[in-house]
Amino acid sequence: MEKCCSVEELEDFAHKLKVCGHPLRLQILLLIEREDACVSDLWKCLELPQPVISQHLAVLKDRNIVESETDGNRRIYKIIDPFVQKIIQGFEVDEMDN
């Protein structure tokens, strides 16, 4: 039987799953995937304080899962990790099927 991934790749995937597995981070990623979202959009939608959202975005950004770009006075976030993006897009399909 042929291995599909190296041990290092599997460890990397496992680490990403752990980081993204936090319920709030998962919600943030789902919102980012749906639309161009900035911090204020996220905290208004999730009804949580801005510092809480910023802390979770910082974790995702530090792990190279999301990045931000400036658009005027807004910092727009997007998912840049292909592995995480596939997972999040899978949630989107499941939501439409139910």
Side-chain angles (χ1 to χ4, degrees):
M1 186 174 188
E2 188 177 319
K3 288 195 297 185
C4 66
C5 301
S6 69
V7 172
E8 292 81 17
E9 287 173 312
L10 291 173
E11 287 174 353
D12 183 51
F13 293 156
H15 182 70
K16 289 175 186 179
L17 289 170
K18 184 176 180 180
V19 170
C20 296
H22 187 285
L24 182 53
R25 287 188 207 127
L26 198 51
Q27 283 183 296
I28 290 169
L29 289 166
L30 287 166
L31 290 170
I32 290 171
E33 182 62 24
R34 285 188 194 138
E35 60 187 68
D36 292 340
C38 68
V39 176
S40 63
D41 296 334
L42 294 169
W43 65 261
K44 286 176 188 172
C45 183
L46 296 170
E47 298 178 351
L48 292 168
Q50 180 268 329
V52 172
I53 301 299
S54 293
Q55 288 174 344
H56 286 282
L57 284 169
V59 170
L60 294 168
K61 197 170 181 180
D62 288 344
R63 304 306 193 286
N64 295 316
I65 293 170
V66 300
E67 73 176 8
S68 64
E69 54 187 52
T70 304
D71 180 20
N73 63 348
R74 298 177 57 191
R75 185 169 297 274
I76 305 297
Y77 287 85
K78 66 179 181 177
I79 300 171
I80 59 169
D81 185 279
F83 175 73
V84 172
Q85 194 164 34
K86 285 180 187 175
I87 292 169
I88 297 303
Q89 288 170 346
F91 275 96
E92 298 290 336
V93 170
D94 289 346
E95 283 181 18
M96 289 183 223
D97 291 342
N98 291 331

